[in-house]
Amino acid sequence: MSGVVTVNTNPYEGQKPGTSGLRKKVKVFLQENYTENFIQSILDANKEGIVGSTLVVGGDGRYLVKEVVDKIIKITAANGVAKLLVGQNGILSTPAVSCLIRKYKTLGGIVLTASHNPGGINNDFGIKFNCSNGGPAPDHTTNEIYELTTKIEKYNIVPDLKCAIDKIGVQSFTVEDHQFTVEIVDSVQDYVDYMKEIFDFPKIRSLIQGSEQRKPFNVLIDSMSGVTGPYVKRIFVDELGASENNVRRTVPLDDFGGAHPDPNLTYAADLVAAVKNGDYDFGAAFDGDGDRNMIIGRGAFFVTPSDSLAVLANNLQHIPYFQKTGVQGYARSMPTAAAVDRVAEKSGKEMFEVPTGWKYFGNLMDAGRLSLCGEESFGTGSDHVREKDGLWAALAWLSVIAASGQSVEDVLRAHWAEFGRNYFTRYDYEECASDPCNEMMRVLEENITHPGFVGSSHSSGDKTYVVKLADNFSYMDPIDRSVAMRQGLRIIFEDGSRIVLRLSGTGSSGATVRLYIDSYEATNVMGDAQVMLRPLIDVALQISQLKKYTGRDAPTVIT
Ligand code: VG1
Ligand code: CO
């Protein structure tokens, strides 16, 4: 029998969850009681349901995950939780956590990840709470958690409870007068079973292996040393018959091999090079926790996430899951280009525009109004879970290709020919000084909301843009009527082109400025996005005075 100890503690400043959980440097989490305070606050925010509940716990394998899993086991035991489902060695991808919460109908889950942020002792760690629908906690819950962290005085822990998280199976403990059970589960099994229900695996298998009519479709799948490695091996190699040469970086490393586990053209440049120079038909990469995806075709033809969403929206009939459930509406985050809106219009489906962050999609899915959604930040997913899902997106693309018989590039060309093209680019200025960036946003908001800004003209080269609307985006959730204010500055021009600026809410230090640019062309669809958008980028840099405030001549990452 183990005893509960109540430990006195003091609040830490700054435990406010951002776009997706609390993310800080590992060394911040290592401060005395820092992590304990936050976990106790998560449990306290769920006070009503916590005693006797079941929770899912897992993370992306980064530095500190195992230690924090151990703390969570000891703290939840002391707070009356009845059972934990923990991924073996603490490993669970973010979509797999969502899958487990929903399948086993638990109260929620705790996800240990800083997602696409680098890992290792000198980099980032993160903790996120997901609710019983499997999705990230909504703002009112994260605000409550934060409020609790500012006042916390004690936490409960069972310090001498010893649980082996490397052994699959059930371990039971008597904690004072209650039973506490930890079930260590295979990290991938439930998720893989679910993917086999959603997709036609035999069909994707025959695409990859080839058939009498078609030569093998050669894929290169890159886990970027993140959590998806074991999932990729099980799905692509064991189930779909790809070879070991078709997968790379599939061993999760606690520092992601020193790389930035973010699947974009900059941080996944070596995948892009391998596909460009090799005989590959398809490349995909996922981020540290497995919720993001990047899709490229033969010759490293790049599919923007906004286009990816639109193409999938237009092709859901090829996926068995949607044949069963039907397709309700679509949604995208505000900065995401509006390509999917055109598909919604054609098919007469509802279309929603929500703030940045996956938590804003959950209510719409729970209400049965949303089937497919995405963000420009390499996030795509459906109502099969309540997180974006990188592997799901790759399997969805392979389903479309298996059905159409076309290459990735041909699928896109056909899409643009039918719908026109939303050219899109995003400039990230990472780790700038915070104060000048805040000042830039303040001044910009003042300028663009000033009477007279609407109707003003802005020129670069031979292009002139006239402002139609400018604001700081706010959103009212159609289901619970909650309001999210100040979600990004947007300037919309008369021809429909857009400039959006916001500060990142996932960084762990300094400020990251994100500048999003998009513009629609009905017929001129084969241009180079950077060339097509250059005048609009120049206008954005003029209006925002970004160079002056950040001191940066060029962005860190261009997508
Ligand atoms: C970024 C993206 C956002 C995404 C979030 C979490 O947020 O822009 O679209 O939902 O990361 O993704 P921000 O606030 O830094 O712009 V993940 O894969 O890091 O959980
Ligand atoms: Co992620």
Side-chain angles (χ1 to χ4, degrees), residues 43-352:
L43 302 181
D44 289 347
N46 287 283
K47 235 191 177 76
E48 268 140 49
I50 209 74
V51 172
S53 66
T54 300
L55 293 171
V56 177
V57 181
D60 62 8
R62 71 178 59 224
Y63 190 89
L64 217 60
V65 165
K66 285 188 193 163
E67 291 81 349
V68 175
V69 167
D70 188 59
K71 284 184 180 172
I72 292 173
I73 292 172
K74 290 172 171 154
I75 295 172
T76 52
N79 282 277
V81 170
K83 184 172 180 184
L84 296 182
L85 293 172
V86 180
Q88 186 179 22
N89 292 316
I91 293 276
L92 284 175
S93 76
T94 293
V97 171
S98 191
C99 168
L100 288 171
I101 294 172
R102 295 173 65 76
K103 180 167 179 179
Y104 297 106
K105 303 192 166 37
T106 72
L107 178 74
I110 301 175
V111 199
L112 305 175
T113 174
S115 193
H116 57 286
N117 299 10
I121 186 158
N122 294 314
N123 288 303
D124 290 4
F125 187 72
I127 305 182
K128 183 168 87 159
F129 178 68
N130 281 27
C131 300
S132 61
N133 70 347
D139 288 332
H140 66 87
T141 306
T142 54
N143 289 340
E144 192 180 337
I145 295 170
Y146 171 61
E147 286 305 319
L148 289 163
T149 66
T150 64
K151 309 189 276 246
I152 189 164
E153 290 176 348
K154 39 179 85 81
Y155 64 86
N156 304 318
I157 189 162
V158 184
D160 51 11
L161 189 150
K162 290 200 171 49
C163 180
I165 63 168
D166 55 341
K167 278 205 262 358
I168 290 182
V170 174
Q171 301 170 52
S172 290
F173 307 89
T174 303
V175 177
E176 301 197 337
D177 59 354
H178 84 281
Q179 280 302 113
F180 175 66
T181 306
V182 180
E183 182 173 354
I184 306 295
V185 299
D186 181 299
S187 305
V188 305
Q189 192 63 50
D190 290 285
Y191 179 83
V192 173
D193 290 346
Y194 196 30
M195 290 301 120
K196 288 168 81 170
E197 275 174 44
I198 293 171
F199 296 104
D200 185 343
F201 268 44
K203 200 162 177 184
I204 303 175
R205 189 182 168 96
S206 80
L207 173 76
I208 288 178
Q209 295 201 314
S211 60
E212 274 171 26
Q213 299 83 34
R214 190 173 174 162
K215 70 181 185 64
F217 190 76
N218 202 15
V219 303
L220 187 57
I221 310 293
D222 189 347
S223 292
M224 302 189 83
S225 308
V227 74
T228 57
Y231 299 81
V232 161
K233 280 189 119 172
R234 188 83 70 85
I235 291 175
F236 280 90
V237 180
D238 299 350
E239 297 284 345
L240 298 174
S243 86
E244 292 286 342
N245 298 330
N246 295 114
V247 300
R248 63 204 301 264
R249 296 196 283 182
T250 53
V251 177
L253 299 177
D254 71 357
D255 65 349
F256 307 111
H260 211 123
D262 196 355
N264 59 38
L265 295 171
T266 302
Y267 296 129
D270 48 339
L271 170 77
V272 174
V275 171
K276 195 172 214 145
N277 303 325
D279 184 26
Y280 293 104
D281 300 298
F282 181 88
F286 312 111
D287 72 335
D289 64 326
D291 54 359
R292 295 185 177 206
N293 75 91
M294 178 173 76
I295 304 289
I296 54 181
R298 181 163 272 280
F301 178 87
F302 174 62
V303 183
T304 70
S306 304
D307 278 342
S308 174
L309 174 62
V311 166
L312 293 181
N314 199 34
N315 285 284
L316 290 181
Q317 72 278 10
H318 301 309
I319 299 173
Y321 174 88
F322 296 102
Q323 292 163 1
K324 274 180 251 146
T325 63
V327 178
Q328 284 71 45
Y330 305 117
R332 59 172 171 79
S333 64
M334 181 273 281
T336 303
V340 64
D341 299 38
R342 296 170 203 285
V343 178
E345 204 180 334
K346 173 189 145 193
S347 56
K349 308 254 187 248
E350 269 196 294
M351 181 69 226
F352 303 94

Side-chain angles (χ1 to χ4, degrees), residues 348-369:
K349 308 254 187 248
E350 269 196 294
M351 181 69 226
F352 303 94
E353 182 181 40
V354 310
T356 296
W358 211 259
K359 57 189 165 195
Y360 296 105
F361 296 123
N363 275 349
L364 293 164
M365 289 184 177
D366 292 348
R369 289 172 66 178

Side-chain angles (χ1 to χ4, degrees), residues 461-482:
D462 59 356
K463 284 272 204 179
T464 297
Y465 301 91
V466 181
V467 178
K468 186 172 162 202
L469 185 157
D471 66 359
N472 197 335
F473 180 66
S474 69
Y475 173 71
M476 184 192 278
D477 184 299
I479 310 302
D480 67 12
R481 311 248 134 215
S482 59

